[in-house]
Amino acid sequence: MIVILGAGLTGLSCAYHLGDTEYRLYEAEARPGGLCRSRDVRGFTFDCTGHLLHLRDEYVKRLILEEMLPGVFASHPRRASIYAMGRFAPYPFQANFYGMPREVVRDCLLGFLRAAPNETPASFEEWALATFGEGIYKYFLQPYNEKLWRVPLDQLTHDWCSWSVPRPSLEQIVDGAVGFVNRNMGYNAAFHYPKRGGIEVLPAAFARRCHHLATGHRAVSVDVRKRLVRFASGEEVRYDRLVSTLPLDDLLANAAGGPDEWHSMAAKLKRVSILALNLGVQGHFWGRRQWVYFPEPDFPFYRIGVASNFESTLAPDGCSNLYVEVSLDNPHVDPEPIVKRCLEKLRWLGLRGRILVKDTLIIPCAYVVYDRVRQEVVPRALAQLREREILSTGRYGAWQYSYMERAILEGREAARWCVDRDGPFK
Ligand SMILES: Cc1cc2nc3c(=O)[nH]c(=O)nc-3n(C[C@H](O)[C@H](O)[C@H](O)COP(=O)(O)OP(=O)(O)OC[C@H]3O[C@@H](n4cnc5c(N)ncnc54)[C@H](O)[C@@H]3O)c2cc1C
């Protein structure tokens, strides 16, 4: 029997790609979708913060836009900014620092010209300094990444950012310094988003095509010798092959019969949690701006999005839908003081309208931390699991910084692995 744990996008895609092959898909929550679920609160639709679909792979494009959900998505150009030193600059900062104070523009430009890209950087800090130079590092990359990752940047590796943090060409840097806006840089220059219903329409489309899905089934242990998953209800299921999309640290910590080191490996893996403050507000906010990054420590949040500025159906007429993202190293904090500070800063930034909905959500496992421990532990743990017929995959199963399109592709790979011993993960 093929057993899949977790009905987020990766688990759902695995089930979908298994087609008629027999499997059992189990999900802890009452609804499938994982991080791609949306919630409706008094006419506002909130995602688990902004979930924008970036499609590069031809197969996924065809599957989603033509076969599964034709006419459901609209395509949008990115209109994102950075707020620093009291002003807005178009995103990405490294190619658009015109408008910043003159000494900042000079430091960024000179730093970039003096930078010498390093093929083998020892840390994120070394990589960022060598790739972008001291100015861009000091004014944006350092404060922003320290705020998001909550660890010193010399402890982070750089292997998560090759696709997500683009290096401008010399022409782009000069254009960006003198005020020609570089709009099309990076993986997220354009995106797809459902015309209504929030991002949950995507996992829901996969879920409709699954022939076995049991929600409300929280796996509490996996006995890797007996090949047995135990659920919180006491129910058990045997597997021949197991696909797990649970956070890797949870899987290792709750596995029985594996190497002794699994528990210590689990304890070493670091994650960042997020407090998402969703707001439904009267009136329009920030014109057409879709989201803004806040590198400075004075602001408790690292990003604010105005979802209704990319999809107006996410808010009632005449209202705005905002998500405010705060990075946490402990998901068990009292959110109230943080929410209060966020609201004060939002008022200071010009939010005038009456707040109609205030909804907080904590995502306990939001970003996995790419430190040296991860680099050493994750490949070993994944290989040891595979030797025991367990494929741990997806954003948290493989303990990686990834995105929805990749979750769909990894689900397809996982399905191949389930049915083909000589498949991609043999
Ligand atoms: C703040 C934030 C913003 C993001 N924005 C974007 C974006 O704009 N664009 C983009 O492409 N990607 C974005 N992502 C990434 C995207 O959410 C993920 O790549 C994708 O949802 C991962 O799917 P998954 O199935 O691997 O994991 P998950 O969605 O986490 O699914 C795992 C599932 O396992 C279930 N589960 C957990 N424990 C158990 C258990 N013990 N027993 C049974 N079930 C269990 C969970 O309930 C969940 O349903 C963002 C992520 C975050 C955190």
Side-chain angles (χ1 to χ4, degrees):
M1 173 62 69
I2 294 165
V3 170
I4 309 163
L5 294 180
L9 214 43
T10 309
L12 288 166
S13 163
C14 176
Y16 168 79
H17 286 98
L18 280 169
D20 293 334
T21 306
E22 212 189 329
Y23 64 82
R24 296 278 179 271
L25 168 57
Y26 295 99
E27 165 58 45
E29 301 292 333
R31 248 172 44 239
L35 275 174
C36 299
R37 281 170 301 163
S38 312
R39 355 203 266 172
D40 284 317
V41 189
R42 298 204 289 282
F44 293 88
T45 305
F46 299 114
D47 294 338
C48 299
T49 90
H51 263 77
L52 317 173
L53 187 59
H54 310 290
L55 295 177
R56 280 155 289 192
D57 183 272
E58 289 307 320
Y59 168 73
V60 182
K61 270 188 203 166
R62 216 175 40 251
L63 177 68
I64 304 303
L65 303 180
E66 293 173 26
E67 289 171 29
M68 274 192 169
L69 294 164
V72 167
F73 282 83
S75 171
H76 304 271
R78 175 187 66 209
R79 296 186 303 270
S81 306
I82 286 105
Y83 184 83
M85 289 156 275
R87 48 201 99 177
F88 290 96
Y91 172 89
F93 180 85
Q94 60 266 34
N96 291 303
F97 42 79
Y98 173 78
M100 290 288 136
R102 275 187 305 181
E103 60 279 16
V104 174
V105 176
R106 186 197 52 203
D107 287 356
C108 291
L109 201 48
L110 274 179
F112 184 84
L113 294 174
R114 287 179 183 144
N118 175 352
E119 295 292 313
T120 51
S123 65
F124 173 79
E125 180 184 51
E126 233 179 84
W127 173 82
L129 279 166
T131 308
F132 299 100
E134 279 183 16
I136 293 169
Y137 182 71
K138 174 171 135 191
Y139 295 111
F140 181 69
L141 290 174
Q142 181 180 20
Y144 178 76
N145 284 289
E146 282 177 352
K147 193 191 272 195
L148 176 62
W149 298 105
R150 307 186 67 86
V151 291
L153 301 184
D154 61 356
Q155 288 178 20
L156 286 186
T157 60
H158 77 291
D159 39 343
W160 54 276
C161 42
S162 54
W163 60 270
S164 59
V165 190
R167 183 176 198 267
S169 64
L170 185 59
E171 289 72 22
Q172 286 170 320
I173 270 279
V174 172
D175 281 356
V178 300
F180 294 109
V181 177
N182 282 300
R183 286 199 196 283
N184 295 324
M185 279 183 69
Y187 75 99
N188 59 356
F191 59 90
H192 296 270
Y193 193 81
K195 292 174 194 163
R196 54 188 64 253
I199 199 63
E200 188 164 334
V201 302
L202 178 60
F206 280 95
R208 280 197 297 279
R209 291 163 172 82
C210 287
H211 60 71
H212 180 279
L213 164 60
T215 53
H217 276 66
R218 179 169 298 279
V220 288
S221 72
V222 177
D223 186 323
V224 301
R225 269 202 222 108
K226 295 185 186 150
R227 298 202 184 168
L228 196 74
V229 179
R230 198 162 292 124
F231 296 96
S233 60
E235 217 176 303
E236 292 179 344
V237 62
R238 278 188 181 284
Y239 62 85
D240 299 303
R241 287 202 148 180
L242 178 68
V243 173
S244 170
T245 67
L246 276 44
L248 179 62
D249 55 353
D250 288 349
L251 176 67
L252 294 175
N254 295 317
D260 290 342
E261 64 171 341
W262 278 4
H263 291 144
S264 66
M265 283 171 154
K268 284 184 196 160
L269 294 174
K270 278 206 197 94
R271 34 159 98 175
V272 166
S273 308
I274 283 184
L275 182 153
L277 167 63
N278 297 316
L279 297 173
V281 180
Q282 244 172 8
H284 293 291
F285 187 54
W286 271 348
R288 282 157 41 87
R289 232 172 244 136
Q290 296 158 334
W291 67 92
V292 179
Y293 298 91
F294 288 84
E296 292 166 344
D298 215 25
F299 296 93
F301 31 79
Y302 65 88
R303 185 167 58 182
I304 295 182
V306 188
S308 43
N309 287 353
F310 53 79
E311 183 42 69
S312 61
T313 58
L314 298 177
D317 283 349
C319 295
S320 298
N321 172 324
L322 273 68
Y323 55 90
V324 179
E325 298 172 89
V326 180
S327 169
L328 306 170
D329 35 28
N330 171 14
H332 307 293
V333 288
D334 173 9
E336 270 320 301
I338 303 172
V339 168
K340 189 164 169 264
R341 276 188 63 214
C342 290
L343 291 175
E344 282 163 11
K345 283 293 177 188
L346 270 162
R347 292 295 186 202
W348 185 86
L349 285 164
L351 185 75
R352 297 279 168 264
R354 196 153 75 87
I355 294 176
L356 305 172
V357 171
K358 194 172 78 179
D359 170 74
T360 45
L361 168 76
I362 295 215
I363 305 173
C365 188
Y367 289 94
V368 311
V369 176
Y370 273 67
D371 55 11
R372 290 194 190 87
V373 170
R374 180 201 173 277
Q375 211 169 33
E376 178 218 316
V377 163
V378 171
R380 202 164 77 246
L382 296 182
Q384 289 170 344
L385 287 162
R386 273 204 304 276
E387 283 163 15
R388 292 161 177 83
E389 304 295 337
I390 300 173
L391 178 66
S392 185
T393 185
R395 178 164 161 123
Y396 304 105
W399 208 252
Q400 60 189 341
Y401 183 39
S402 81
Y403 42 91
M404 293 184 281
E405 183 184 68
R406 190 151 149 191
I408 295 169
L409 288 169
E410 286 183 351
R412 182 180 65 169
E413 299 284 277
R416 287 181 182 157
W417 175 81
C418 289
V419 293
D420 176 8
R421 284 194 170 267
D422 300 321
F425 301 104
K426 60 179 179 280

